[in-house]
Amino acid sequence: MNGASRERASGAELLAREAAHRTSPSATDLQYGHTDGVIDLTWGHPDPSALATDAIAQAAEVLLSTRGWQALSYGAPAGAMSLRASIAEHLGHVDGVVAPDDIVIAAGSSGALELVLSLCAVPGDVVFVEQPTYFLALRMFVDHGLRIVGLHSTEEGPDPEHLDQLAAEAARAGVGSLLYLVPTYANPTGRCLGAERARALLDVAARRGVTVIEDDVYRDTNPVAPPSMFSLDPTQVVRLGSFSKSLAPGLRVGYLTSTPAVVNRIATCGLLDSGGGSNHFAAMVVGEVMRSGRFAEVVSAGQDRYRARRTALSQALDHDLFRFDEPDGGFFVWLRLPDGCRSSDVVDAARAGGVLVSDGRLFFADRADDSYVRVSFSMLEHDLLVEGATRLNLAVSRMKRR
Amino acid sequence: MNGASRERASGAELLAREAAHRTSPSATDLQYGHTDGVIDLTWGHPDPSALATDAIAQAAEVLLSTRGWQALSYGAPAGAMSLRASIAEHLGHVDGVVAPDDIVIAAGSSGALELVLSLCAVPGDVVFVEQPTYFLALRMFVDHGLRIVGLHSTEEGPDPEHLDQLAAEAARAGVGSLLYLVPTYANPTGRCLGAERARALLDVAARRGVTVIEDDVYRDTNPVAPPSMFSLDPTQVVRLGSFSKSLAPGLRVGYLTSTPAVVNRIATCGLLDSGGGSNHFAAMVVGEVMRSGRFAEVVSAGQDRYRARRTALSQALDHDLFRFDEPDGGFFVWLRLPDGCRSSDVVDAARAGGVLVSDGRLFFADRADDSYVRVSFSMLEHDLLVEGATRLNLAVSRMKRR
């Protein structure tokens, strides 16, 4: 099937295909919920049909038959050394030199962030964020009693001078400070932070004692992703990594890489001693997927899939209507709306037109910029993305005409 | 093989058997480490050979072939409803009526405790503990900046009047307060809190606004375990449950049961929204083990195994030397040492005699009572338990004679 024939499929045909594909999602077991007749571009989930189900089933079988009880007992607090070694090798190919001892296994990148916030921050500390940023991280900061401060930000990233000024104030007030960033194929913008800006931010962080939390979960969506901030200068950085985008989010396996001091603080905490590390069984399954060589195949297939989809969605969106950069990785396109269109109105009009998009206001910490919506290309196949974009184009062009 | 022939095996034979049994534990992947020639009664781990490896392998295979991507996507924040329903049914048989909506799935009971401490407490809050108590919970309290206060405690449990007085002081000071207990087959004592004392503590908690954290991880080690505090009166209680003792700790699947307010607070936190619940894949595996009926078999086999072992260890210990109650469940026997024997000296003498025991001082919050050691019967087979007890008897009887 070529692109032309795909695009001739009607919306009704596409939705019937999607409904069949989703097969009774037992919504109460899952976060994902499907609404019939609607194309949902809000989910930042990997495509269900692209999850590495076969590789994981095979790995679980091999793991349990070869390692037996060792896959099911309490794990090492910092995580199984065999997996840490595989991650170090993988990062050596795609990022920079990392030693197994620099790594702690966590329950996804969210679990890694939770460990950092629990053990390296206290309520009342301030967390600086770029704007826009990942909205659920904001929720976690609130849960931990942190004060969120949005930095002046442009398409080049957050302003180092603004960080410098605010971090100096925090230091004078005796308050700890963190900087949270998604520098590589960001959620929601899809952008990458340039190396020069990254170094400028790291310099400020080092001078002002700011801990940089680098949320690096989209690295594996492009084989030529730029180097992590951790690889530029690990001194102040905790980098959060994940297998949620590459293998499967339900495994809840991720990791952090950081300095010996941070790694040691986290690896010696009561939680990881009491529980025997984070998710030992699932982590050992991931270790087996890596050991067997299937991981490289799965990552490569995912890169091809997501490249095709981001191109499909970007091409189908009306470039006269929306201003956006076609991203090189990640799961999202960040659309600047036509002048005079408010994001809340666009969300409503899109819903009425049978497509769901995320209100950009969600992603701002301290102001409600209503000029953007986020659309995700990760979960849906080509034809649905094109149909969704077509519906969105139509809904917004009608708004403009009114 | 009967008990008599077992007991004739030499220590050397036993250790050779143990070493073969352990088969290269790849210590850096695991928390457990084995020392040749030593019988280690310090580990509160399930027996590796008794972990439900077959049931879990079968469940993983069935799960992935029948549910596919639904086992691997982001899960519902409170956990898969199918597992919550199975847990509610199980608790209905062994404890009391619990609705699926009263349950949140967590990454083991330690993960459940972490959620409670992160979301229902703030640094500076006070946590009251019975003495002795689970030492790694104490580490987690410290990590969360809580102030630990030991309650006056006897074999009947902590003193409700002492709790009343201290909780009143905390309330007057405007400080939040928690009460942490292991009321059923406690770690380290193996004891159960009587219903009358439990009700008295619950009354104080209700009057003083104390949140009771009931660590209930040993419930499934005896089919006639007493009712949980949660089942007596859920008003103030968060009960922590686990599959670590029944199925396998490396799965990192547990749960909490609590009031709608606590369940809602936890189920709506940023971490569980961002991560899609705790350990969705492993939780779905546990759900399949329960659905298939294998769970009941595994639990029953565990109950038989641990009953035989606690009897073996208790009978082999010298009742003239040690004062202790033979427990009805759990993993531990708590030994009061002969007068004049200090626990640190006993630990040293035992090690010199080829057996490791836990210094009782670990389990006290605010005083170092050195009259106890803890021995665990969960991890080792009958003959090793008998040999370990024999070595301990010898080491301590020699100390007394000196």
Side-chain angles (χ1 to χ4, degrees), chain A residues 55-56 59-60 63-64 67 70-87 103-108 242-243 247-255 272 275-292 295, chain B residues 28-30 72 249-252 279-282:
Chain A
I56 290 163
L63 173 71
L64 287 167
R67 299 291 301 269
Q70 298 185 17
L72 295 171
S73 186
Y74 290 99
M81 184 51 81
S82 55
L83 175 60
R84 294 162 76 196
S86 292
I87 292 170
I103 298 170
V104 179
I105 306 302
S242 179
F243 294 94
L247 285 179
L251 292 170
R252 296 285 79 219
V253 180
Y255 54 90
L272 295 185
S278 295
N279 286 3
H280 180 67
F281 171 63
M284 292 287 281
V285 169
V286 171
E288 174 57 26
V289 174
M290 296 186 94
R291 193 205 59 76
S292 70
F295 181 66
Chain B
T28 51
D29 281 355
L30 301 181
L72 295 171
L251 293 170
R252 296 286 77 220
N279 285 4
H280 180 68
F281 170 63

Side-chain angles (χ1 to χ4, degrees), chain A residues 4-72:
Chain A
S5 72
R6 274 187 190 141
E7 285 170 30
R8 279 198 298 271
S10 74
E13 284 167 353
L14 290 172
L15 288 165
R17 207 186 297 166
E18 193 204 358
H21 176 65
R22 298 298 172 221
T23 63
S24 155
S26 303
T28 50
D29 280 357
L30 301 182
Q31 192 169 58
Y32 171 75
H34 170 71
T35 306
D36 280 344
V38 170
I39 294 178
D40 192 342
L41 301 178
T42 64
W43 294 101
H45 289 193
D47 184 351
S49 69
L51 297 178
T53 312
D54 289 348
I56 290 163
Q58 188 184 2
E61 187 186 336
V62 170
L63 173 71
L64 287 167
S65 64
T66 57
R67 299 291 301 269
W69 69 272
Q70 298 185 17
L72 295 171

Side-chain angles (χ1 to χ4, degrees), chain B residues 145-277:
Chain B
L146 303 180
R147 191 163 62 87
I148 300 167
V149 175
L151 295 173
H152 298 161
S153 306
T154 65
E155 295 187 2
E156 308 301 313
D159 178 0
E161 288 183 18
H162 195 211
L163 174 65
D164 191 41
Q165 172 202 327
L166 295 174
E169 283 172 19
R172 276 196 298 274
V175 170
S177 56
L178 306 163
L179 168 63
Y180 173 80
L181 298 168
V182 191
T184 303
Y185 311 127
N187 181 1
T189 66
R191 290 185 201 124
C192 292
L193 189 68
E196 193 179 338
R197 179 61 63 96
R199 285 187 196 281
L201 292 164
L202 288 169
D203 285 349
V204 174
R207 198 165 60 245
R208 300 294 183 192
V210 178
T211 299
V212 179
I213 301 175
E214 176 183 28
D215 191 338
D216 192 32
V217 299
Y218 298 105
R219 170 157 307 279
D220 288 323
T221 59
N222 186 324
V224 293
S228 66
M229 293 177 81
F230 178 81
S231 73
L232 295 180
D233 177 5
T235 317
Q236 294 295 124
V237 179
V238 186
R239 178 253 299 276
L240 316 178
S242 180
F243 293 94
S244 292
K245 317 304 176 190
S246 52
L247 285 180
L251 293 170
R252 296 286 77 220
V253 180
Y255 54 90
L256 61 85
T257 69
S258 193
T259 58
V262 170
V263 163
N264 187 57
R265 174 69 193 98
I266 291 174
T268 59
C269 75
L271 173 65
L272 295 185
D273 197 354
S274 180

Side-chain angles (χ1 to χ4, degrees), chain A residues 224-289:
Chain A
V224 293
S228 66
M229 293 177 82
F230 178 82
S231 73
L232 295 180
D233 177 4
T235 317
Q236 293 294 123
V237 179
V238 186
R239 178 254 299 274
L240 317 178
S242 179
F243 294 94
S244 292
K245 318 303 178 191
S246 52
L247 285 179
L251 292 170
R252 296 285 79 219
V253 180
Y255 54 90
L256 61 85
T257 68
S258 193
T259 58
V262 170
V263 164
N264 187 59
R265 174 68 194 99
I266 291 175
T268 59
C269 74
L271 172 66
L272 295 185
D273 197 354
S274 180
S278 295
N279 286 3
H280 180 67
F281 171 63
M284 292 287 281
V285 169
V286 171
E288 174 57 26
V289 174

Side-chain angles (χ1 to χ4, degrees), chain A residues 181-199:
Chain A
L181 297 169
V182 191
T184 303
Y185 311 127
N187 181 0
T189 66
R191 289 184 202 124
C192 292
L193 189 68
E196 194 179 335
R197 179 63 61 96
R199 285 187 197 280

Side-chain angles (χ1 to χ4, degrees), chain B residues 50-395:
Chain B
L51 297 178
T53 312
D54 290 348
I56 289 163
Q58 189 184 2
E61 188 186 336
V62 170
L63 174 71
L64 287 167
S65 64
T66 58
R67 298 291 301 268
W69 68 273
Q70 299 186 15
L72 295 171
S73 186
Y74 289 98
M81 183 52 80
S82 55
L83 175 59
R84 294 162 76 196
S86 292
I87 292 169
E89 189 187 340
H90 173 66
L91 290 174
H93 296 307
V94 302
D95 183 18
V97 175
V98 181
D101 283 342
D102 301 332
I103 298 170
V104 178
I105 306 302
S109 64
S110 301
L113 180 57
E114 179 73 14
L115 289 170
V116 175
L117 299 181
S118 280
L119 297 165
C120 308
V122 294
D125 283 356
V126 60
V127 55
F128 302 111
V129 298
E130 63 192 324
Q131 302 200 73
T133 193
Y134 175 48
F135 69 108
L136 290 175
L138 298 177
R139 288 257 305 280
M140 290 179 65
F141 301 146
V142 171
D143 286 343
H144 281 271
L146 303 180
R147 191 163 62 87
I148 300 167
V149 175
L151 295 173
H152 298 161
S153 306
T154 65
E155 295 187 2
E156 308 301 313
D159 178 0
E161 288 183 18
H162 195 211
L163 174 65
D164 191 41
Q165 172 202 327
L166 295 174
E169 283 172 19
R172 276 196 298 274
V175 170
S177 56
L178 306 163
L179 168 63
Y180 173 80
L181 298 168
V182 191
T184 303
Y185 311 127
N187 181 1
T189 66
R191 290 185 201 124
C192 292
L193 189 68
E196 193 179 338
R197 179 61 63 96
R199 285 187 196 281
L201 292 164
L202 288 169
D203 285 349
V204 174
R207 198 165 60 245
R208 300 294 183 192
V210 178
T211 299
V212 179
I213 301 175
E214 176 183 28
D215 191 338
D216 192 32
V217 299
Y218 298 105
R219 170 157 307 279
D220 288 323
T221 59
N222 186 324
V224 293
S228 66
M229 293 177 81
F230 178 81
S231 73
L232 295 180
D233 177 5
T235 317
Q236 294 295 124
V237 179
V238 186
R239 178 253 299 276
L240 316 178
S242 180
F243 293 94
S244 292
K245 317 304 176 190
S246 52
L247 285 180
L251 293 170
R252 296 286 77 220
V253 180
Y255 54 90
L256 61 85
T257 69
S258 193
T259 58
V262 170
V263 163
N264 187 57
R265 174 69 193 98
I266 291 174
T268 59
C269 75
L271 173 65
L272 295 185
D273 197 354
S274 180
S278 296
N279 285 4
H280 180 68
F281 170 63
M284 292 287 281
V285 169
V286 171
E288 174 57 27
V289 174
M290 296 186 94
R291 193 204 59 75
S292 70
R294 294 285 302 266
F295 181 65
E297 292 168 31
V298 170
V299 167
S300 176
Q303 288 165 348
D304 292 345
R305 177 184 316 108
Y306 294 124
R307 185 180 55 245
R309 290 180 180 193
R310 64 184 187 250
T311 303
L313 180 62
S314 298
Q315 289 184 350
L317 287 163
D318 186 335
H319 289 241
D320 294 328
L321 216 46
F322 303 110
R323 274 179 35 216
F324 63 97
D325 297 320
E326 182 176 331
D328 293 322
F331 281 4
F332 308 104
V333 184
W334 181 242
L335 304 179
R336 187 174 173 92
L337 301 170
D339 289 347
C341 281
R342 293 187 310 183
S343 55
S344 57
D345 295 335
V346 168
V347 167
D348 290 345
R351 184 187 296 113
V355 58
L356 304 185
V357 300
S358 298
D359 190 329
R361 292 179 302 171
L362 276 175
F363 303 91
F364 289 91
D366 62 2
R367 60 195 167 96
D369 188 332
D370 63 358
S371 346
Y372 294 91
V373 297
R374 186 193 77 172
V375 286
S376 170
F377 53 80
S378 60
M379 200 172 188
L380 301 182
E381 62 177 48
H382 176 281
D383 299 20
L384 286 162
L385 292 173
V386 171
E387 173 66 16
T390 304
R391 292 180 182 188
L392 182 62
N393 293 339
L394 185 64

